[in-house]
Amino acid sequence: MHTEVCDRLGIEFPIFAFSHCRDVVAAVTSAGGFGVLGATGHSPHALEIDLAWIDEQVKGKPYGVDLLLPVNYDKTAPQHGKPVQSPASQQPQPADQAQTAAPGRRFPAGHQAFLDDLLTRYEVPELPGHLPASAGALSVSPQAASNLLDVAFGHPIRLVASALGPPPADLVRQAHDRGVVVAALVGTAEHARRQQAAGVDLIVAQGTEAGGHTGQISTMVLVPEVVRTVAPVPVLAAGGIVTGAQMAAAMALGAQGVWCGSVWLTTEEAETDPSVKKKMLAASSADTVRSRSLTGKPARMLRSAWTDEWESDQAPAALPMPLQTMLTASAQQRINRSAGAGGSGATELATYFVGQGVGLMDRIRPARQVVEQMVADYLAVAENFAAQLQV
Ligand SMILES: Cc1cc2nc3c(=O)[nH]c(=O)nc-3n(C[C@H](O)[C@H](O)[C@H](O)COP(=O)(O)O)c2cc1C
């Protein structure tokens, strides 16, 4: 299981954990894997707090940070907190972490009316007066990314990842000056080629099975295609990977490790809404759908009444990113709150980003146990292969 990537990053197992939850990041790193904190939704202050906490927990073991770095990121650029239209992965974040909020923004009347009618039909109550409604803003301005990077570079991070287009030269230089590995998520071989040309050190080939924003090519096909395209740059496989047997398959395809997101959502440490966690544990691999309904871009999530309603003939087309997130953020907040309290309409609507691997996620476990089980299963498969060769 030891690959070149393990040596490069100083890890025992090439198992990468993308999570918005610092507890998951710390747990996976402590277990010998590599935790990556999804930080685009953090304010610089919140990121500082979380990274200081992780530093304390992991005691020098390596971890990384995932940011949405706009293609026009430039550390020396003047401030302009304008949201960019991001072409790739980004998830909606809590309102208190938003840096590009647009208070009082007006949405097309038809969109607002559709949403209001939906919430009424499913009997989702208003938020109590004391709770501020989520603005659902995405922190993707060049200045916001630059501020977050400054905070991240103040900590002993070993990797910075981005899911947008190729990273700007300035970022690659800054990272390399500090010995920080630059990683990038891709959904096609062409994207991988562009990332390689920009000087990225580690490519994450993410197949359509993945939770969150995702393309249309399966992990099984994408990984060997990307490995062949960018050799000798190391590649991690992502999308649908939940077990050690799948990890063994990914390594057989030429990957040097796996990058997982969904599997951590049902761990003990994850802050996933309990009602959504319950749905995930019960879901099969057929229960996800690529939908634009949360962000405006196709993202894989649990299929629910929410995604079905947005597919219906009455539904308006989703707004472009980041407007769809802003439009739906407070509705999502109401739904999750009500579902958590047992509201039946809200429970029908509740959804969250998750990949097809959800069909293999059937119990709540500590993140450390997920890592250990993956390693054990991987070894069992490897031994099985070796035994077959000896016959
Ligand atoms: C809830 C969730 C949120 C995600 N948010 C981001 C993100 O903000 N940035 C990013 O680069 N990738 C994001 N991803 C994608 C992961 O980094 C990873 O590539 C993906 O989860 C791998 O596929 P899997 O979900 O089948 O494990 C997200 C995935 C999930 C499940």
Side-chain angles (χ1 to χ4, degrees):
M1 181 176 255
H2 199 82
T3 63
E4 184 198 314
V5 164
C6 295
D7 294 333
R8 181 92 190 259
L9 289 168
I11 50 178
E12 212 175 330
F13 314 120
I15 298 175
F16 291 70
F18 171 93
S19 177
H20 291 122
C21 174
R22 67 183 191 179
D23 299 68
V24 170
V25 172
V28 172
T29 282
S30 300
F34 192 95
V36 181
L37 184 70
T40 305
H42 284 63
S43 66
H45 179 63
L47 184 59
E48 177 57 42
I49 291 174
D50 276 4
L51 295 186
W53 184 88
I54 291 172
D55 290 340
E56 238 180 74
Q57 302 296 312
V58 301
K59 301 183 177 46
K61 286 191 165 186
Y63 69 93
V65 165
D66 180 284
L67 292 172
L68 246 202
L69 299 168
V71 182
N72 56 347
Y73 159 91
D74 177 356
K75 206 169 153 37
T76 57
Q79 293 221 6
H80 57 98
K82 203 167 145 251
V84 296
Q85 301 285 316
S86 59
S89 289
Q90 166 56 17
Q91 314 303 334
Q93 303 295 336
D96 63 345
Q97 298 168 347
Q99 293 163 41
T100 56
R105 178 181 282 281
R106 295 250 179 276
F107 297 104
H111 284 72
Q112 195 60 61
F114 171 77
L115 205 46
D116 292 344
D117 173 63
L118 183 66
L119 295 175
T120 306
R121 279 191 288 119
Y122 284 83
E123 298 177 352
V124 181
E126 299 274 357
L127 291 175
H130 65 277
L131 266 191
S134 170
L138 300 177
S139 315
V140 292
S141 73
Q143 188 59 43
S146 168
N147 293 343
L148 290 176
L149 263 180
D150 285 346
V151 172
F153 283 144
H155 291 264
I157 59 164
R158 297 294 303 276
L159 173 145
V160 58
S162 169
L164 277 183
D170 181 48
L171 162 74
V172 176
R173 190 184 42 73
Q174 278 195 75
H176 287 170
D177 283 353
R178 293 169 168 83
V180 172
V181 168
V182 180
L185 276 74
V186 303
T188 67
E190 179 49 34
H191 289 163
R193 200 171 286 122
R194 282 190 231 143
Q195 298 285 1
Q196 181 183 26
V200 164
D201 308 300
L202 181 61
I203 303 276
V204 182
Q206 188 203 258
T208 187
E209 297 93 320
H213 291 116
T214 185
Q216 290 187 288
I217 303 168
S218 75
T219 306
M220 187 70 155
V221 171
L222 183 69
V223 172
E225 200 184 4
V226 170
V227 167
R228 186 191 291 178
T229 303
V230 301
V233 174
V235 174
L236 301 179
I241 299 165
V242 167
T243 68
Q246 290 172 297
M247 178 172 180
M251 309 287 268
L253 296 174
Q256 290 212 12
V258 290
W259 175 285
C260 308
S262 293
V263 70
W264 317 109
L265 294 172
T266 50
T267 56
E268 266 175 29
E269 291 88 346
E271 288 159 1
T272 314
D273 267 299
S275 57
V276 172
K277 236 182 200 175
K278 204 167 145 197
K279 276 189 159 183
M280 287 179 179
L281 294 174
S284 81
S285 57
D287 293 328
T288 73
V289 63
R290 275 171 92 237
S291 164
R292 294 179 186 267
S293 61
L294 286 179
T295 68
K297 288 195 165 290
R300 190 172 299 285
M301 59 190 77
L302 273 180
R303 183 179 170 190
S304 76
W306 169 273
T307 57
D308 286 351
E309 291 283 353
W310 277 94
E311 287 299 314
S312 72
D313 291 342
Q314 291 73 42
L319 296 173
M321 194 179 194
L323 298 179
Q324 183 73 6
T325 304
M326 293 174 170
L327 170 73
T328 57
S330 67
Q332 282 297 314
Q333 198 182 1
R334 281 171 62 180
I335 290 166
N336 288 334
R337 195 181 149 80
S338 172
S344 63
T347 302
E348 273 184 74
L349 289 169
T351 181
Y352 193 57
F353 306 103
V354 75
Q356 292 175 339
V358 72
L360 295 165
M361 292 155 47
D362 53 8
R363 68 209 133 108
I364 294 179
R365 291 177 291 170
R368 169 179 284 275
Q369 222 180 74
V370 174
V371 173
E372 289 171 351
Q373 190 68 52
M374 262 194 183
V375 173
D377 291 351
Y378 173 94
L379 291 176
V381 170
E383 279 164 12
N384 203 10
F385 278 156
Q388 283 167 4
L389 290 176
Q390 283 161 15
V391 173

